[in-house]
Short mmCIF file of all heavy atoms in Angstrom, two decimals:
data_model
loop_
_atom_site.label_atom_id
_atom_site.label_comp_id
_atom_site.label_asym_id
_atom_site.label_seq_id
_atom_site.Cartn_x
_atom_site.Cartn_y
_atom_site.Cartn_z
N MET B 1276 40.41 -91.28 29.24
CA MET B 1276 40.82 -89.98 28.78
C MET B 1276 39.89 -89.53 27.65
O MET B 1276 39.52 -90.31 26.79
CB MET B 1276 42.27 -90.05 28.30
CG MET B 1276 42.79 -88.76 27.78
SD MET B 1276 44.48 -88.99 27.22
CE MET B 1276 45.13 -87.42 27.60
N PHE B 1277 39.55 -88.27 27.64
CA PHE B 1277 38.65 -87.69 26.64
C PHE B 1277 39.35 -87.62 25.28
O PHE B 1277 40.47 -87.17 25.16
CB PHE B 1277 38.22 -86.29 27.07
CG PHE B 1277 37.31 -85.62 26.11
CD1 PHE B 1277 36.00 -86.03 25.97
CD2 PHE B 1277 37.75 -84.56 25.33
CE1 PHE B 1277 35.14 -85.41 25.08
CE2 PHE B 1277 36.91 -83.92 24.44
CZ PHE B 1277 35.59 -84.34 24.32
N ASN B 1278 38.65 -88.09 24.24
CA ASN B 1278 39.18 -88.06 22.88
C ASN B 1278 38.29 -87.14 22.05
O ASN B 1278 37.17 -87.51 21.67
CB ASN B 1278 39.22 -89.47 22.30
CG ASN B 1278 39.89 -89.51 20.95
OD1 ASN B 1278 39.68 -88.65 20.10
ND2 ASN B 1278 40.70 -90.53 20.74
N LEU B 1279 38.77 -85.94 21.77
CA LEU B 1279 37.98 -84.92 21.07
C LEU B 1279 37.55 -85.39 19.69
O LEU B 1279 36.38 -85.22 19.31
CB LEU B 1279 38.77 -83.62 20.94
CG LEU B 1279 38.08 -82.49 20.17
CD1 LEU B 1279 36.80 -82.07 20.86
CD2 LEU B 1279 39.02 -81.31 19.99
N SER B 1280 38.43 -86.00 18.93
CA SER B 1280 38.08 -86.39 17.57
C SER B 1280 36.97 -87.45 17.56
O SER B 1280 36.04 -87.36 16.75
CB SER B 1280 39.30 -86.87 16.79
OG SER B 1280 39.84 -88.04 17.34
N GLU B 1281 37.04 -88.42 18.46
CA GLU B 1281 35.98 -89.43 18.54
C GLU B 1281 34.66 -88.80 18.95
O GLU B 1281 33.59 -89.17 18.45
CB GLU B 1281 36.37 -90.54 19.52
CG GLU B 1281 37.44 -91.46 18.99
CD GLU B 1281 37.80 -92.55 19.98
OE1 GLU B 1281 37.06 -92.77 20.97
OE2 GLU B 1281 38.84 -93.19 19.76
N TRP B 1282 34.70 -87.85 19.87
CA TRP B 1282 33.51 -87.15 20.33
C TRP B 1282 32.86 -86.37 19.19
O TRP B 1282 31.63 -86.39 19.03
CB TRP B 1282 33.90 -86.24 21.49
CG TRP B 1282 32.77 -85.50 22.11
CD1 TRP B 1282 31.82 -85.99 22.96
CD2 TRP B 1282 32.49 -84.10 21.96
NE1 TRP B 1282 30.97 -84.98 23.34
CE2 TRP B 1282 31.36 -83.81 22.74
CE3 TRP B 1282 33.11 -83.08 21.24
CZ2 TRP B 1282 30.82 -82.54 22.82
CZ3 TRP B 1282 32.58 -81.80 21.32
CH2 TRP B 1282 31.43 -81.54 22.10
N LEU B 1283 33.67 -85.71 18.38
CA LEU B 1283 33.15 -84.95 17.24
C LEU B 1283 32.49 -85.88 16.23
O LEU B 1283 31.39 -85.60 15.74
CB LEU B 1283 34.27 -84.15 16.58
CG LEU B 1283 34.82 -82.97 17.37
CD1 LEU B 1283 36.08 -82.43 16.70
CD2 LEU B 1283 33.79 -81.88 17.54
N VAL B 1284 33.15 -86.98 15.91
CA VAL B 1284 32.61 -87.94 14.95
C VAL B 1284 31.27 -88.48 15.44
O VAL B 1284 30.28 -88.50 14.70
CB VAL B 1284 33.61 -89.09 14.68
CG1 VAL B 1284 32.96 -90.20 13.88
CG2 VAL B 1284 34.85 -88.55 13.97
N LYS B 1285 31.22 -88.90 16.69
CA LYS B 1285 29.98 -89.45 17.25
C LYS B 1285 28.87 -88.40 17.26
O LYS B 1285 27.71 -88.69 16.98
CB LYS B 1285 30.21 -89.98 18.66
CG LYS B 1285 31.01 -91.27 18.68
CD LYS B 1285 31.27 -91.75 20.09
CE LYS B 1285 32.14 -92.99 20.07
NZ LYS B 1285 32.46 -93.46 21.41
N GLY B 1286 29.22 -87.16 17.56
CA GLY B 1286 28.24 -86.08 17.59
C GLY B 1286 27.66 -85.79 16.22
O GLY B 1286 26.44 -85.57 16.08
N ILE B 1287 28.50 -85.76 15.21
CA ILE B 1287 28.02 -85.52 13.85
C ILE B 1287 27.08 -86.64 13.40
O ILE B 1287 25.99 -86.39 12.88
CB ILE B 1287 29.20 -85.39 12.87
CG1 ILE B 1287 29.97 -84.09 13.14
CG2 ILE B 1287 28.71 -85.42 11.42
CD1 ILE B 1287 31.28 -83.96 12.38
N ILE B 1288 27.50 -87.87 13.62
CA ILE B 1288 26.69 -89.02 13.21
C ILE B 1288 25.38 -89.05 13.98
O ILE B 1288 24.30 -89.26 13.39
CB ILE B 1288 27.48 -90.34 13.38
CG1 ILE B 1288 28.65 -90.37 12.40
CG2 ILE B 1288 26.57 -91.56 13.20
CD1 ILE B 1288 29.64 -91.50 12.63
N ASP B 1289 25.42 -88.83 15.27
CA ASP B 1289 24.20 -88.84 16.09
C ASP B 1289 23.24 -87.73 15.66
O ASP B 1289 22.04 -87.96 15.55
CB ASP B 1289 24.57 -88.69 17.57
CG ASP B 1289 23.36 -88.85 18.47
OD1 ASP B 1289 22.69 -89.90 18.38
OD2 ASP B 1289 23.08 -87.92 19.26
N GLY B 1290 23.77 -86.55 15.40
CA GLY B 1290 22.92 -85.44 14.96
C GLY B 1290 22.23 -85.75 13.64
O GLY B 1290 21.04 -85.45 13.45
N PHE B 1291 22.95 -86.38 12.73
CA PHE B 1291 22.36 -86.76 11.45
C PHE B 1291 21.28 -87.82 11.64
O PHE B 1291 20.18 -87.70 11.10
CB PHE B 1291 23.45 -87.28 10.51
CG PHE B 1291 22.93 -87.71 9.17
CD1 PHE B 1291 22.67 -86.78 8.18
CD2 PHE B 1291 22.69 -89.04 8.91
CE1 PHE B 1291 22.18 -87.18 6.94
CE2 PHE B 1291 22.21 -89.46 7.68
CZ PHE B 1291 21.95 -88.52 6.70
N ASN B 1292 21.59 -88.85 12.43
CA ASN B 1292 20.64 -89.94 12.64
C ASN B 1292 19.37 -89.49 13.35
O ASN B 1292 18.30 -90.06 13.12
CB ASN B 1292 21.29 -91.08 13.42
CG ASN B 1292 22.30 -91.84 12.59
OD1 ASN B 1292 22.22 -91.87 11.37
ND2 ASN B 1292 23.27 -92.44 13.25
N ARG B 1293 19.47 -88.48 14.18
CA ARG B 1293 18.30 -87.96 14.88
C ARG B 1293 17.53 -86.93 14.05
O ARG B 1293 16.51 -86.42 14.48
CB ARG B 1293 18.71 -87.32 16.19
CG ARG B 1293 19.22 -88.30 17.22
CD ARG B 1293 19.72 -87.55 18.44
NE ARG B 1293 20.27 -88.44 19.41
CZ ARG B 1293 19.71 -88.66 20.60
NH1 ARG B 1293 18.61 -88.03 20.93
NH2 ARG B 1293 20.28 -89.48 21.44
N GLY B 1294 18.05 -86.60 12.89
CA GLY B 1294 17.39 -85.63 12.02
C GLY B 1294 17.65 -84.18 12.43
O GLY B 1294 16.97 -83.27 11.97
N LEU B 1295 18.64 -83.97 13.29
CA LEU B 1295 18.95 -82.62 13.76
C LEU B 1295 19.95 -81.90 12.86
O LEU B 1295 19.99 -80.67 12.85
CB LEU B 1295 19.51 -82.69 15.18
CG LEU B 1295 18.60 -83.34 16.22
CD1 LEU B 1295 19.34 -83.52 17.54
CD2 LEU B 1295 17.35 -82.50 16.42
N THR B 1296 20.76 -82.67 12.15
CA THR B 1296 21.80 -82.09 11.31
C THR B 1296 21.59 -82.56 9.87
O THR B 1296 21.74 -83.76 9.59
CB THR B 1296 23.20 -82.53 11.79
OG1 THR B 1296 23.31 -82.29 13.19
CG2 THR B 1296 24.29 -81.77 11.06
N PRO B 1297 21.24 -81.65 8.97
CA PRO B 1297 21.05 -82.06 7.58
C PRO B 1297 22.36 -82.47 6.91
O PRO B 1297 23.45 -82.09 7.36
CB PRO B 1297 20.45 -80.82 6.92
CG PRO B 1297 20.79 -79.69 7.81
CD PRO B 1297 20.99 -80.24 9.19
N PHE B 1298 22.24 -83.21 5.82
CA PHE B 1298 23.41 -83.73 5.12
C PHE B 1298 24.39 -82.62 4.75
O PHE B 1298 25.61 -82.78 4.91
CB PHE B 1298 22.99 -84.51 3.87
CG PHE B 1298 24.16 -85.03 3.09
CD1 PHE B 1298 24.81 -86.18 3.50
CD2 PHE B 1298 24.62 -84.36 1.97
CE1 PHE B 1298 25.91 -86.66 2.80
CE2 PHE B 1298 25.72 -84.83 1.26
CZ PHE B 1298 26.36 -85.98 1.68
N ALA B 1299 23.89 -81.51 4.26
CA ALA B 1299 24.78 -80.41 3.85
C ALA B 1299 25.61 -79.91 5.02
O ALA B 1299 26.81 -79.62 4.88
CB ALA B 1299 23.97 -79.27 3.25
N ARG B 1300 25.01 -79.82 6.19
CA ARG B 1300 25.74 -79.36 7.38
C ARG B 1300 26.76 -80.41 7.83
O ARG B 1300 27.84 -80.06 8.28
CB ARG B 1300 24.75 -79.04 8.50
CG ARG B 1300 25.39 -78.48 9.72
CD ARG B 1300 25.92 -77.07 9.48
NE ARG B 1300 26.48 -76.56 10.71
CZ ARG B 1300 27.60 -75.86 10.79
NH1 ARG B 1300 28.24 -75.54 9.69
NH2 ARG B 1300 28.06 -75.46 11.94
N VAL B 1301 26.40 -81.68 7.72
CA VAL B 1301 27.35 -82.76 8.05
C VAL B 1301 28.59 -82.62 7.18
O VAL B 1301 29.72 -82.71 7.66
CB VAL B 1301 26.70 -84.15 7.85
CG1 VAL B 1301 27.74 -85.27 7.87
CG2 VAL B 1301 25.63 -84.40 8.91
N THR B 1302 28.37 -82.35 5.90
CA THR B 1302 29.48 -82.19 4.97
C THR B 1302 30.35 -80.99 5.35
O THR B 1302 31.59 -81.09 5.38
CB THR B 1302 28.95 -82.00 3.53
OG1 THR B 1302 28.14 -83.13 3.21
CG2 THR B 1302 30.07 -81.88 2.53
N GLU B 1303 29.72 -79.87 5.66
CA GLU B 1303 30.46 -78.67 6.06
C GLU B 1303 31.27 -78.89 7.32
O GLU B 1303 32.45 -78.52 7.39
CB GLU B 1303 29.49 -77.50 6.28
CG GLU B 1303 28.81 -77.01 5.03
CD GLU B 1303 27.68 -76.06 5.34
OE1 GLU B 1303 27.39 -75.78 6.53
OE2 GLU B 1303 27.04 -75.59 4.38
N LEU B 1304 30.65 -79.47 8.33
CA LEU B 1304 31.34 -79.72 9.59
C LEU B 1304 32.52 -80.68 9.40
O LEU B 1304 33.61 -80.44 9.91
CB LEU B 1304 30.37 -80.31 10.63
CG LEU B 1304 29.32 -79.38 11.20
CD1 LEU B 1304 28.30 -80.16 12.01
CD2 LEU B 1304 29.98 -78.31 12.05
N THR B 1305 32.27 -81.75 8.67
CA THR B 1305 33.31 -82.75 8.45
C THR B 1305 34.51 -82.14 7.73
O THR B 1305 35.66 -82.32 8.15
CB THR B 1305 32.75 -83.95 7.65
OG1 THR B 1305 31.65 -84.51 8.39
CG2 THR B 1305 33.81 -85.01 7.44
N ALA B 1306 34.24 -81.39 6.68
CA ALA B 1306 35.34 -80.75 5.93
C ALA B 1306 36.11 -79.77 6.81
O ALA B 1306 37.34 -79.72 6.77
CB ALA B 1306 34.79 -80.05 4.70
N ALA B 1307 35.39 -79.00 7.60
CA ALA B 1307 36.05 -78.03 8.48
C ALA B 1307 36.92 -78.72 9.53
O ALA B 1307 38.06 -78.29 9.77
CB ALA B 1307 35.00 -77.15 9.17
N TYR B 1308 36.42 -79.79 10.12
CA TYR B 1308 37.19 -80.49 11.14
C TYR B 1308 38.42 -81.18 10.55
O TYR B 1308 39.46 -81.23 11.19
CB TYR B 1308 36.31 -81.49 11.89
CG TYR B 1308 35.24 -80.86 12.75
CD1 TYR B 1308 34.04 -81.52 13.01
CD2 TYR B 1308 35.40 -79.60 13.31
CE1 TYR B 1308 33.06 -80.96 13.80
CE2 TYR B 1308 34.42 -79.02 14.09
CZ TYR B 1308 33.25 -79.71 14.34
OH TYR B 1308 32.28 -79.14 15.13
N VAL B 1309 38.29 -81.71 9.33
CA VAL B 1309 39.45 -82.32 8.69
C VAL B 1309 40.49 -81.25 8.38
O VAL B 1309 41.68 -81.42 8.65
CB VAL B 1309 39.05 -83.09 7.40
CG1 VAL B 1309 40.28 -83.49 6.60
CG2 VAL B 1309 38.23 -84.33 7.75
N SER B 1310 40.04 -80.12 7.83
CA SER B 1310 41.00 -79.07 7.45
C SER B 1310 41.71 -78.47 8.66
O SER B 1310 42.84 -78.01 8.56
CB SER B 1310 40.31 -77.97 6.64
OG SER B 1310 39.43 -77.22 7.45
N LYS B 1311 41.05 -78.50 9.83
CA LYS B 1311 41.66 -77.99 11.05
C LYS B 1311 42.48 -79.05 11.78
O LYS B 1311 43.11 -78.77 12.80
CB LYS B 1311 40.59 -77.46 11.99
CG LYS B 1311 39.91 -76.21 11.47
CD LYS B 1311 38.81 -75.77 12.40
CE LYS B 1311 38.12 -74.54 11.82
NZ LYS B 1311 37.01 -74.10 12.67
N GLY B 1312 42.44 -80.28 11.27
CA GLY B 1312 43.19 -81.36 11.89
C GLY B 1312 42.52 -81.93 13.14
O GLY B 1312 43.16 -82.63 13.92
N LEU B 1313 41.24 -81.65 13.32
CA LEU B 1313 40.54 -82.15 14.50
C LEU B 1313 40.06 -83.59 14.33
O LEU B 1313 39.89 -84.31 15.31
CB LEU B 1313 39.36 -81.24 14.84
CG LEU B 1313 39.73 -79.82 15.25
CD1 LEU B 1313 38.49 -78.96 15.40
CD2 LEU B 1313 40.53 -79.84 16.55
N ILE B 1314 39.81 -83.98 13.08
CA ILE B 1314 39.50 -85.38 12.77
C ILE B 1314 40.34 -85.78 11.56
O ILE B 1314 40.82 -84.94 10.81
CB ILE B 1314 37.99 -85.62 12.50
CG1 ILE B 1314 37.50 -84.90 11.25
CG2 ILE B 1314 37.15 -85.26 13.72
CD1 ILE B 1314 36.07 -85.23 10.85
N THR B 1315 40.51 -87.08 11.39
CA THR B 1315 41.32 -87.59 10.28
C THR B 1315 40.44 -87.85 9.06
O THR B 1315 39.21 -87.89 9.14
CB THR B 1315 42.00 -88.91 10.68
OG1 THR B 1315 40.98 -89.91 10.90
CG2 THR B 1315 42.85 -88.75 11.92
N VAL B 1316 41.09 -88.07 7.94
CA VAL B 1316 40.37 -88.43 6.72
C VAL B 1316 39.65 -89.77 6.93
O VAL B 1316 38.54 -89.96 6.43
CB VAL B 1316 41.33 -88.49 5.51
CG1 VAL B 1316 40.64 -89.03 4.28
CG2 VAL B 1316 41.91 -87.11 5.24
N GLU B 1317 40.26 -90.66 7.66
CA GLU B 1317 39.62 -91.95 7.95
C GLU B 1317 38.34 -91.76 8.75
O GLU B 1317 37.34 -92.43 8.52
CB GLU B 1317 40.59 -92.88 8.70
CG GLU B 1317 41.74 -93.38 7.84
CD GLU B 1317 42.87 -92.35 7.66
OE1 GLU B 1317 42.93 -91.34 8.41
OE2 GLU B 1317 43.68 -92.56 6.76
N GLN B 1318 38.36 -90.84 9.71
CA GLN B 1318 37.16 -90.55 10.48
C GLN B 1318 36.11 -89.87 9.61
O GLN B 1318 34.91 -90.11 9.78
CB GLN B 1318 37.50 -89.69 11.70
CG GLN B 1318 38.25 -90.46 12.76
CD GLN B 1318 38.77 -89.56 13.85
OE1 GLN B 1318 39.40 -88.54 13.60
NE2 GLN B 1318 38.51 -89.96 15.09
N ALA B 1319 36.54 -89.04 8.68
CA ALA B 1319 35.60 -88.42 7.74
C ALA B 1319 34.92 -89.49 6.90
O ALA B 1319 33.72 -89.38 6.59
CB ALA B 1319 36.33 -87.41 6.86
N GLU B 1320 35.67 -90.52 6.54
CA GLU B 1320 35.08 -91.62 5.79
C GLU B 1320 34.04 -92.36 6.63
O GLU B 1320 32.99 -92.74 6.12
CB GLU B 1320 36.18 -92.60 5.34
CG GLU B 1320 35.65 -93.71 4.47
CD GLU B 1320 36.73 -94.64 3.96
OE1 GLU B 1320 37.89 -94.54 4.42
OE2 GLU B 1320 36.41 -95.48 3.11
N GLN B 1321 34.31 -92.52 7.92
CA GLN B 1321 33.32 -93.13 8.83
C GLN B 1321 32.03 -92.31 8.81
O GLN B 1321 30.93 -92.87 8.76
CB GLN B 1321 33.83 -93.10 10.28
CG GLN B 1321 34.74 -94.18 10.68
CD GLN B 1321 35.07 -94.02 12.16
OE1 GLN B 1321 35.84 -93.12 12.52
NE2 GLN B 1321 34.51 -94.86 12.99
N ILE B 1322 32.16 -91.00 8.86
CA ILE B 1322 31.00 -90.12 8.84
C ILE B 1322 30.25 -90.26 7.52
O ILE B 1322 29.02 -90.36 7.49
CB ILE B 1322 31.42 -88.66 9.09
CG1 ILE B 1322 31.97 -88.50 10.51
CG2 ILE B 1322 30.26 -87.70 8.85
CD1 ILE B 1322 32.67 -87.18 10.78
N ALA B 1323 30.99 -90.28 6.42
CA ALA B 1323 30.38 -90.39 5.10
C ALA B 1323 29.57 -91.69 4.96
O ALA B 1323 28.49 -91.69 4.38
CB ALA B 1323 31.44 -90.31 4.01
N ILE B 1324 30.09 -92.76 5.50
CA ILE B 1324 29.39 -94.05 5.44
C ILE B 1324 28.15 -94.03 6.33
O ILE B 1324 27.09 -94.52 5.95
CB ILE B 1324 30.34 -95.20 5.83
CG1 ILE B 1324 31.42 -95.36 4.76
CG2 ILE B 1324 29.58 -96.50 6.06
CD1 ILE B 1324 32.58 -96.24 5.16
N ALA B 1325 28.27 -93.43 7.51
CA ALA B 1325 27.16 -93.42 8.47
C ALA B 1325 26.08 -92.41 8.12
O ALA B 1325 24.95 -92.52 8.59
CB ALA B 1325 27.69 -93.13 9.87
N CYS B 1326 26.42 -91.42 7.30
CA CYS B 1326 25.48 -90.35 6.96
C CYS B 1326 25.33 -90.24 5.45
O CYS B 1326 25.82 -89.27 4.83
CB CYS B 1326 25.97 -89.02 7.53
SG CYS B 1326 26.28 -89.02 9.29
N PRO B 1327 24.66 -91.18 4.83
CA PRO B 1327 24.55 -91.15 3.37
C PRO B 1327 23.62 -90.03 2.90
O PRO B 1327 22.67 -89.65 3.59
CB PRO B 1327 23.95 -92.52 3.03
CG PRO B 1327 23.19 -92.90 4.25
CD PRO B 1327 23.96 -92.32 5.41
N MET B 1328 23.93 -89.49 1.73
CA MET B 1328 23.08 -88.47 1.15
C MET B 1328 21.79 -89.14 0.69
O MET B 1328 21.83 -90.14 -0.01
CB MET B 1328 23.78 -87.80 -0.03
CG MET B 1328 22.96 -86.70 -0.66
SD MET B 1328 23.86 -85.77 -1.90
CE MET B 1328 23.88 -86.92 -3.25
N SER B 1329 20.66 -88.59 1.10
CA SER B 1329 19.40 -89.16 0.68
C SER B 1329 19.06 -88.66 -0.71
O SER B 1329 19.36 -87.53 -1.08
CB SER B 1329 18.29 -88.80 1.67
OG SER B 1329 18.08 -87.41 1.66
N VAL B 1330 18.45 -89.52 -1.48
CA VAL B 1330 18.02 -89.16 -2.83
C VAL B 1330 16.50 -89.13 -2.82
O VAL B 1330 15.85 -90.12 -2.52
CB VAL B 1330 18.54 -90.20 -3.86
CG1 VAL B 1330 18.03 -89.85 -5.25
CG2 VAL B 1330 20.05 -90.27 -3.83
N ASP B 1331 15.95 -87.96 -3.16
CA ASP B 1331 14.50 -87.81 -3.20
C ASP B 1331 14.01 -88.25 -4.58
O ASP B 1331 14.24 -87.57 -5.58
CB ASP B 1331 14.12 -86.35 -2.92
CG ASP B 1331 12.63 -86.16 -2.72
OD1 ASP B 1331 11.87 -87.11 -3.00
OD2 ASP B 1331 12.24 -85.06 -2.30
N THR B 1332 13.33 -89.37 -4.63
CA THR B 1332 12.91 -89.91 -5.92
C THR B 1332 11.83 -89.05 -6.58
O THR B 1332 11.74 -89.00 -7.79
CB THR B 1332 12.38 -91.35 -5.76
OG1 THR B 1332 11.35 -91.37 -4.79
CG2 THR B 1332 13.49 -92.28 -5.35
N GLU B 1333 11.03 -88.34 -5.79
CA GLU B 1333 9.99 -87.50 -6.36
C GLU B 1333 10.61 -86.36 -7.16
O GLU B 1333 10.13 -86.03 -8.24
CB GLU B 1333 9.09 -86.94 -5.27
CG GLU B 1333 8.19 -88.00 -4.65
CD GLU B 1333 7.29 -87.41 -3.58
OE1 GLU B 1333 7.00 -86.21 -3.66
OE2 GLU B 1333 6.88 -88.16 -2.70
N GLU B 1334 11.67 -85.75 -6.66
CA GLU B 1334 12.33 -84.67 -7.37
C GLU B 1334 12.94 -85.19 -8.66
O GLU B 1334 12.89 -84.53 -9.68
CB GLU B 1334 13.40 -84.02 -6.51
CG GLU B 1334 12.86 -83.11 -5.44
CD GLU B 1334 13.98 -82.41 -4.70
OE1 GLU B 1334 15.09 -82.27 -5.26
OE2 GLU B 1334 13.75 -82.01 -3.56
N SER B 1335 13.50 -86.38 -8.64
CA SER B 1335 14.13 -86.96 -9.83
C SER B 1335 13.10 -87.20 -10.92
O SER B 1335 13.37 -87.03 -12.10
CB SER B 1335 14.83 -88.26 -9.48
OG SER B 1335 15.86 -88.04 -8.55
N GLU B 1336 11.90 -87.62 -10.53
CA GLU B 1336 10.85 -87.91 -11.49
C GLU B 1336 10.32 -86.65 -12.16
O GLU B 1336 9.91 -86.66 -13.31
CB GLU B 1336 9.69 -88.66 -10.81
CG GLU B 1336 10.08 -90.06 -10.38
CD GLU B 1336 9.00 -90.73 -9.54
OE1 GLU B 1336 7.93 -90.12 -9.37
OE2 GLU B 1336 9.25 -91.84 -9.07
N GLU B 1337 10.33 -85.52 -11.43
CA GLU B 1337 9.80 -84.26 -11.95
C GLU B 1337 10.71 -83.63 -12.99
O GLU B 1337 10.27 -82.90 -13.85
CB GLU B 1337 9.57 -83.27 -10.81
CG GLU B 1337 8.43 -83.68 -9.91
CD GLU B 1337 8.28 -82.73 -8.73
OE1 GLU B 1337 8.93 -81.66 -8.73
OE2 GLU B 1337 7.51 -83.05 -7.81
N GLU B 1338 12.00 -83.91 -12.95
CA GLU B 1338 12.96 -83.26 -13.83
C GLU B 1338 12.90 -83.77 -15.23
O GLU B 1338 12.49 -84.58 -15.78
CB GLU B 1338 14.38 -83.44 -13.29
CG GLU B 1338 14.56 -82.69 -12.02
CD GLU B 1338 15.96 -82.89 -11.44
OE1 GLU B 1338 16.83 -83.52 -12.09
OE2 GLU B 1338 16.20 -82.42 -10.34
#
């Protein structure tokens, strides 16, 4: 049986890992899906772990 919430989670993570979905968009999508009840907070945590925010060290050094 098709599970929409699992499909959404896998799609967000896959898009991030392939470089198709930037971190900011992952955050927006995840928050929207949680607020609509399409994914759970636990699934949002899975996404957060799988899609870490990258830290650009060059920008940090310039500041």
Side-chain angles (χ1 to χ4, degrees):
M1276 179 181 213
F1277 180 72
N1278 186 318
L1279 178 62
S1280 65
E1281 287 180 14
W1282 183 75
L1283 291 170
V1284 170
K1285 288 178 183 178
I1287 291 171
I1288 293 170
D1289 186 56
F1291 179 81
N1292 288 335
R1293 292 175 183 248
L1295 302 172
T1296 310
F1298 178 80
R1300 184 70 178 139
V1301 167
T1302 303
E1303 293 168 359
L1304 289 170
T1305 302
Y1308 292 151
V1309 169
S1310 70
K1311 292 177 182 178
L1313 296 173
I1314 65 173
T1315 65
V1316 173
E1317 290 79 15
Q1318 288 171 310
E1320 185 177 9
Q1321 278 183 286
I1322 294 168
I1324 292 167
C1326 305
M1328 182 172 74
S1329 64
V1330 177
D1331 190 349
T1332 55
E1333 289 181 26
E1334 284 185 24
S1335 298
E1336 292 172 4
E1337 291 176 10
E1338 293 178 6

